[in-house]
Amino acid sequence: ESEGVNGVKLSQKSPIIASGIAEDNLKIWKCHRRQIDGRSIEPFQGHKSAVGGGILSPDGRTIASGSADNTIKLWNLYTGKLIQSWEGHKDGVFSVAFSPDGRTIASVGKDKTLKLWQVDDGVELETFKGLSDEVQSVIFSSDRETLATGNSDGTIKLWNWRTGELKQTIAGHYEAVWTLAISPDGQTLASGSWDKTIRLWHQSESL
């Protein structure tokens, strides 16, 4: 790449890697036998500023991207066609995530908000309260109830995304939490931060 890479996601359904570029496009790479062949599918162009990264839908057919142009876009993975473009954030979108059933997308960003969107028609379902700083990352748990956000103040917040309830605030990092992952059994949360650490958090109940 000639520009910085803001995020990378690997598809669980197909040999595809999605990367967000610090220009204004999203690139999709094909993998073969655990190796990237070095050639990207034609860049998905449509954003007007840096792309924070792409996330693939559970069925592997759609990719969602968030950008510093304040929008979220949905693309057909195989044709590169823009399906929908959503506006609602007042500043850059840092991270997006699909719910386990693929019907809902969560988005977070520089405007200190967490939003939920209905995938079918792009309706904004909810804006969560309780955030006082920029939100860097978001992920759904497989339990179909819990959602985690990584925040600029170094905390991780766990939400019941169906009710909007803030369930727990986890403190430990000293700088922004840039990336999150949850183990398949929901027992372990991993977080990566600008404080140069990766931390593992064990939950007494599944996330």
Side-chain angles (χ1 to χ4, degrees), residues 59-194:
D59 65 9
R61 298 178 180 179
T62 306
I63 187 165
S65 57
S67 169
D69 65 9
N70 307 356
T71 69
I72 299 152
K73 296 185 185 295
L74 296 188
W75 314 81
N76 182 300
L77 176 61
Y78 300 104
T79 67
K81 181 180 178 182
L82 179 63
I83 301 170
Q84 296 186 52
S85 183
W86 306 336
E87 298 181 3
H89 282 278
K90 296 180 180 178
D91 213 329
V93 180
F94 290 147
S95 180
V96 293
F98 275 98
S99 62
D101 62 10
R103 297 179 180 178
T104 305
I105 283 179
S107 61
V108 297
K110 195 173 182 178
D111 62 1
K112 306 177 184 179
T113 64
L114 162 62
K115 293 180 181 289
L116 295 181
W117 308 80
Q118 190 164 281
V119 170
D120 287 346
D121 53 16
V123 170
E124 184 179 325
L125 300 172
E126 184 90 31
T127 297
F128 286 52
K129 299 178 181 179
L131 294 158
S132 59
D133 210 338
E134 295 178 6
V135 192
Q136 304 288 342
S137 52
V138 63
I139 190 170
F140 283 91
S141 172
S142 59
D143 71 353
R144 302 180 182 274
E145 179 180 291
T146 306
L147 179 151
T149 58
N151 309 295
S152 289
D153 62 3
T155 65
I156 300 163
K157 293 184 183 294
L158 303 182
W159 307 81
N160 182 319
W161 63 272
R162 296 190 181 278
T163 66
E165 175 193 2
L166 176 60
K167 297 169 61 176
Q168 185 179 356
T169 298
I170 302 171
H173 284 291
Y174 301 104
E175 293 189 36
V177 179
W178 188 248
T179 187
L180 295 167
I182 297 174
S183 62
D185 64 6
Q187 294 291 327
T188 305
L189 172 67
S191 57
S193 168
W194 288 353

